[in-house]
Amino acid sequence: MYNCRRCAPRSLARYAGAAGVATLLLALGAPASSIAATAAAATADSAAAADGAAAADCATDATAAQSDGSVGVLQLRPNFYMLTVDGVNLGLQTGPEGAVLVDAGPASASAALLKTIRQLSSGPLRFVIDTNADPELTGGNASLSAAGLSMMVGWQILTRNHNRSDTIQDHPLDTRAPIIARQGTLEQLAGAAGPQAELLALPSETFTREQYNLRVNGDIINVVGLPAAHSDGDSAVLFRRADVVVTGAIFDVTHFPVIDLAHGGSIDGEIAAIDQVMNTLAVPSGPVVQNEDGTLVIPVHGHVCNQPDLLTYRDMLYAIRARVQALIARGESLRQVEAADPARGYEERWGGASGPLARPWTTRDFIAAVYQSLAGSAAYDGGRRARR
């Protein structure tokens, strides 16, 4: 289901048609006026063919920016956008206090991304939030943070001197937009090679507790730590009033997730992270059958999703994990596990001989990472190739 308000037809009309909707609402005891209105909407939505086109339009818009360096913009809420650059999805909140950006995108897209942010927001960029340390998500940290403006600028502090006189001075903090991330992300970036390891690209506000909370533009923003998932630095970001979650690399509707064993990732942590987002951050559109709204979920790549999409992804991960675990219990080697093809039934949708967007992460890499994660071996680099 696609819950993008701009392009999604009504959920019931999409799947049932006018007659089916009327029958279902009648069985549920809905009032006649509601039945008539909803059935009329179903007729107007022109059934499945137009529906598929709308879904395709949503997915196309979400990945509009590819090789030309432009930025695709998809408005999800009145003050919330999904930005897509080089196939990578980012989240942008705007409002009277300025803008909040979730993930800075690749370094090569910084200029185009900053231009787009300035077109969408009348105020400065106030915060950058990193969901993990991957270069495609943090490459723009330094330039975007430098182009932003801390909310502390303009504040003054009162200092009581030893002689009991008072001094008022400007707040001494850096004027750049702060970069927020888990401590694990800072540590990974500091130890990496390339522009993402530069001092000004490193997160300036880090946390190790379960979540980091802030309020901007009247919305409460929860940066929720997801330990040992894709890596040991993952976070998902929930904008409560907008009802949007940005997942970072733990959720990729185009491919099996990268499990970076070298940086603390694990299949069990990946499943737990999807479970946590699905059960505590994302709310489905039910139980009212007419209600097509629900939490919108932005994956690292691919179209806008919702809570049932997380469930589908989680079930896939759990099934593959169970298959690999059963083979390990029988004493099978990694080569024997690969030959058993534990990803069968899922590879057509999430796998392939090569990773998407030229990322070197294959189905074989994923199965090897699952195997080594469950077997407790450090022999496999588990995603180092995807990071470096």
Side-chain angles (χ1 to χ4, degrees):
M1 294 174 65
Y2 295 82
N3 282 336
C4 168
R5 291 183 174 183
R6 184 171 64 84
C7 61
R10 301 195 180 184
S11 300
L12 288 174
R14 184 176 304 150
Y15 296 109
V21 171
T23 301
L24 181 57
L25 292 180
L26 182 62
L28 292 172
S33 58
S34 176
I35 294 174
T38 310
T43 302
D45 282 332
S46 72
D51 210 32
D57 288 344
C58 181
T60 300
D61 287 344
T63 56
Q66 294 295 330
S67 59
D68 63 355
S70 61
V71 180
V73 178
L74 184 62
Q75 184 172 7
L76 303 180
R77 306 295 194 205
N79 70 329
F80 201 97
Y81 304 84
M82 182 173 81
L83 307 182
T84 305
V85 59
D86 292 340
V88 180
N89 294 331
L90 319 173
L92 178 70
Q93 181 218 49
T94 62
E97 293 182 321
V100 177
L101 179 67
V102 181
D103 291 321
S108 59
S110 294
L113 190 57
L114 182 59
K115 179 180 178 181
T116 300
I117 293 171
R118 286 172 173 169
Q119 291 172 343
L120 297 174
S121 174
S122 59
L125 180 62
R126 294 300 195 179
F127 293 95
V128 176
I129 303 174
D130 290 341
T131 58
N132 64 61
D134 291 353
E136 67 176 5
L137 297 177
T138 61
N141 271 2
S143 56
L144 289 168
S145 173
L149 184 66
S150 170
M151 296 183 76
M152 300 301 293
V153 172
W155 283 36
Q156 294 182 318
I157 56 176
L158 176 68
T159 304
R160 177 61 54 88
N161 300 315
H162 293 296
N163 61 2
R164 298 193 176 185
S165 63
D166 294 334
T167 301
I168 299 177
Q169 58 188 7
D170 291 336
H171 199 288
L173 291 180
D174 196 336
T175 61
R176 298 173 303 149
I179 303 172
I180 301 170
R182 289 190 66 212
Q183 180 70 20
T185 293
L186 170 61
E187 293 170 357
Q188 290 176 41
L189 288 174
Q196 69 268 25
E198 297 175 0
L199 179 61
L200 296 181
L202 299 179
S204 55
E205 296 188 20
T206 62
F207 66 102
T208 57
R209 57 187 184 274
E210 291 185 359
Q211 67 182 48
Y212 182 106
N213 305 314
L214 61 158
R215 184 193 296 269
V216 185
N217 295 317
D219 201 346
I220 297 175
I221 304 171
N222 303 135
V223 187
V224 181
L226 303 170
H230 158 68
S231 70
D232 62 359
D234 295 300
S235 301
V237 185
L238 170 64
F239 293 78
R240 289 192 171 273
R241 176 170 290 183
D243 201 15
V244 176
V245 176
V246 185
T247 68
I250 67 160
F251 183 40
D252 184 344
V253 295
T254 68
H255 222 253
F256 294 123
V258 174
I259 299 176
D260 190 349
L261 298 180
H263 292 94
S266 68
I267 182 60
D268 287 335
E270 171 70 22
I271 293 174
I274 295 294
D275 272 338
Q276 183 172 350
V277 174
M278 180 178 65
N279 294 323
T280 66
L281 305 183
V283 179
S285 59
V288 180
V289 72
Q290 300 102 315
N291 184 5
E292 69 179 27
D293 272 344
T295 304
L296 299 181
V297 180
I298 299 179
V300 67
H301 305 110
H303 59 74
V304 181
C305 296
N306 53 21
Q307 199 248 24
D309 295 311
L310 289 166
L311 176 60
T312 300
Y313 201 72
R314 186 264 186 197
D315 287 349
M316 173 272 293
L317 293 173
Y318 191 85
I320 293 176
R321 180 202 180 282
R323 291 173 180 177
V324 174
Q325 183 65 72
L327 293 169
I328 291 175
R330 287 163 41 185
E332 304 285 351
S333 67
L334 173 57
R335 179 167 297 185
Q336 290 171 318
V337 169
E338 291 173 340
D341 191 16
R344 65 184 179 277
Y346 300 106
E347 187 170 6
E348 182 176 352
R349 178 170 179 180
W350 287 293
S354 61
L357 310 173
R359 289 184 294 118
W361 183 255
T362 67
T363 300
R364 186 173 181 176
D365 289 326
F366 173 64
I367 296 303
V370 173
Y371 179 91
Q372 299 294 353
S373 176
L374 295 174
S377 171
Y380 179 67
D381 69 0
R384 185 183 299 273
R385 288 172 293 168
R387 173 70 51 84
R388 303 301 180 200

